[in-house]
Amino acid sequence: MLWVRCLKLLAAFCALCAGFFLVVVFLISETWVFPSLRPEKTSFFWNRMNSPANGTSDSLRMHTWQVGGDEIRVDGEVINSSVVLQLELCPEQPEGLVGPLHIDFSAAVTIDQVAASNSMIKLGGRYGPSDCEARQKIAIVIPFRNREKHLVYWLYYLHPILIRQQGDYAIYVVHQAGNGTFNRAKLLNIGAVEALKDQDYDCLVFSDVDIIPMDDRNLYHCGKQPRHLACAMDKFGFRLPYHGYFGGVIGLTRQQFYTINGFSNHYWGWGTEDDDMYKRITLKGMKVERPPAIIARTKMIHHHRDKGNGVNTKNYDLFARTSVDMMKDGLNSLQYDLLSIKRFKLYTELHVDVGKPRR
């Protein structure tokens, strides 16, 4: 009969609507019914309370999502990815580390080869892990002049190591202009200041360009106390040469660096600026952390001392006045001319004029 057919059609229509409604609820609900259908990376989630639709709950609205490059669009509008995606913190001990490394400086390596083998590095020598949230944002600062070959080796070995260590990092090479007396400590101050203009780094690692870690478990990260990362160097027989040695590669949090007023600006030529740094740290009641020697082994690229970087005996007199001068000689008295900033594939170069020694 006609009315029976109408009832059957109505029932079928209601069933179809109910099915559609269940599918919609399934797709947008906060907790999916079938765990086996969940994405593999459960650290990603849709935060309904922070919906891009005027910041209100919008549970029944269907959105068009587009994810590409460094931006996310919802319904055609660019939104802040932190609203939508939340990554888990990277593990304190990264899982991809390999341990002891074979470091060899005999093979010829070009900057183009290094760039080609590190395609994930962004312009300026920047990298951050994509599968977890880095625990620290790290600026690595290198004082530099006339060491192009050493820099290539450093980049060749360090970029892969730093990637495995899962830091959010960038490389800053601070190039002293001219042929005057070298001032390593002042270059490091400049690198820190300029890097912090770029990003809100919470960790500063200062490294000489000729020192390579021999174990990637030696994390280029900062700690609760200033860290000495090159405390077992090959040229010293993989031993600490003396208790107050704090050279080669060191790491300080931004706050630790501010507390000691950075490095002194007046150590011209070779020597004593790292001892001055150690003294500043201890005078402020901090202690130096050092990894176990078996992990902290580093290898130096052997070379002749640069012209303009000879031993300066006046530095010993300056060191004797550290406790008196440290809070007026450092970041708060830093003067320099920034000649240029160049962002290469593997690093950012700061070309600077550091001035001349005071008479």
Side-chain angles (χ1 to χ4, degrees):
M1 298 178 66
L2 181 61
W3 65 272
V4 174
R5 290 181 179 179
C6 290
L7 284 176
K8 288 182 178 180
L9 288 173
L10 181 62
F13 179 76
C14 291
L16 182 62
C17 291
F20 178 78
F21 179 79
L22 288 174
V23 169
V24 171
V25 171
F26 176 85
L27 291 175
I28 66 177
S29 62
E30 288 184 45
T31 305
W32 291 11
V33 177
F34 301 104
S36 62
L37 297 179
R38 291 176 184 168
E40 291 183 6
K41 295 181 179 178
T42 57
S43 56
F44 292 77
F45 69 96
W46 163 240
N47 187 341
R48 192 178 297 165
M49 295 305 294
N50 289 303
S51 166
N54 300 320
T56 60
S57 179
D58 199 11
S59 59
L60 296 181
R61 181 182 174 189
M62 297 295 290
H63 296 290
T64 302
W65 292 70
Q66 292 178 307
V67 181
D70 293 328
E71 68 179 28
I72 298 174
R73 292 177 179 268
V74 177
D75 300 332
E77 295 184 6
V78 177
I79 64 170
N80 185 346
S81 61
S82 63
V83 173
V84 181
L85 306 179
Q86 178 171 305
L87 294 172
E88 296 177 353
L89 281 175
C90 298
E92 291 188 17
Q93 289 296 319
E95 298 173 354
L97 302 179
V98 299
L101 306 169
H102 176 68
I103 307 298
D104 179 26
F105 303 126
S106 62
V109 181
T110 68
I111 194 72
D112 290 337
Q113 290 173 332
V114 180
S117 61
N118 291 279
S119 59
M120 69 293 295
I121 304 298
K122 295 182 180 180
L123 187 67
R126 299 181 183 279
Y127 173 82
S130 59
D131 56 348
C132 60
E133 182 182 348
R135 289 180 174 269
Q136 296 182 4
K137 292 188 68 174
I138 308 160
I140 301 177
V141 181
I142 301 173
F144 181 84
R145 186 172 64 183
N146 300 330
R147 296 284 195 88
E148 285 75 13
K149 184 177 180 179
H150 294 176
L151 179 60
V152 172
Y153 278 124
W154 192 97
L155 295 167
Y156 173 74
Y157 282 112
L158 263 296
H159 268 306
I161 290 172
L162 295 168
I163 290 171
R164 292 196 297 271
Q165 293 182 352
Q166 295 184 312
D168 184 341
Y169 73 87
I171 310 298
Y172 294 86
V173 176
V174 193
H175 187 175
Q176 179 172 327
N179 298 314
T181 306
F182 197 67
N183 191 325
R184 174 180 178 270
K186 192 171 185 178
L187 292 173
L188 295 175
N189 275 344
I190 295 169
V193 169
E194 292 297 328
L196 289 168
K197 292 179 183 178
D198 255 0
Q199 297 283 333
D200 192 25
Y201 296 107
D202 46 37
C203 175
L204 302 169
V205 172
F206 303 100
S207 174
D208 288 341
V209 74
D210 55 2
I211 298 179
I212 310 296
M214 300 175 68
D215 194 312
D216 62 4
R217 294 172 296 175
N218 186 6
L219 300 180
Y220 275 42
H221 296 176
C222 294
K224 294 181 179 179
Q225 300 289 338
R227 301 189 68 222
H228 188 197
L229 304 173
C231 57
M233 203 179 301
D234 62 338
K235 79 169 188 175
F236 298 130
F238 299 111
R239 297 182 180 89
L240 195 67
Y242 53 92
H243 180 72
Y245 177 65
F246 195 56
V249 188
I250 62 174
L252 294 91
T253 66
R254 181 180 58 203
Q255 187 55 53
Q256 290 164 358
F257 195 61
Y258 286 161
T259 297
I260 61 173
N261 197 23
F263 291 88
S264 166
N265 296 311
H266 298 309
Y267 283 91
W268 298 87
W270 185 88
T272 320
E273 78 284 345
D274 44 11
D275 294 340
D276 181 276
M277 176 58 99
Y278 181 86
K279 196 172 182 181
R280 288 174 178 239
I281 288 168
T282 57
L283 286 170
K284 286 297 182 179
M286 293 183 281
K287 297 181 179 180
V288 169
E289 292 181 353
R290 293 185 172 101
I294 192 64
I295 292 176
R297 291 188 169 206
T298 55
K299 191 169 185 177
M300 174 179 277
I301 305 173
H302 296 289
H303 59 90
H304 299 292
R305 188 169 297 158
D306 303 332
K307 184 179 180 180
N309 194 30
V311 175
N312 186 354
T313 57
K314 293 181 180 179
N315 288 348
Y316 304 135
D317 297 330
L318 185 62
F319 177 68
R321 293 182 51 84
T322 301
S323 60
V324 177
D325 295 339
M326 65 177 287
M327 296 316 296
K328 57 185 178 182
D329 170 23
L331 293 175
N332 59 4
S333 63
L334 181 62
Q335 295 181 351
Y336 61 95
D337 289 324
L338 179 60
L339 304 179
S340 67
I341 301 177
K342 295 180 181 178
R343 301 193 191 277
F344 299 103
K345 167 67 175 177
L346 299 172
Y347 63 95
T348 295
E349 182 190 70
L350 308 172
H351 198 207
V352 300
D353 183 350
V354 298
K356 297 179 180 180
R358 59 186 179 183
R359 294 181 179 179

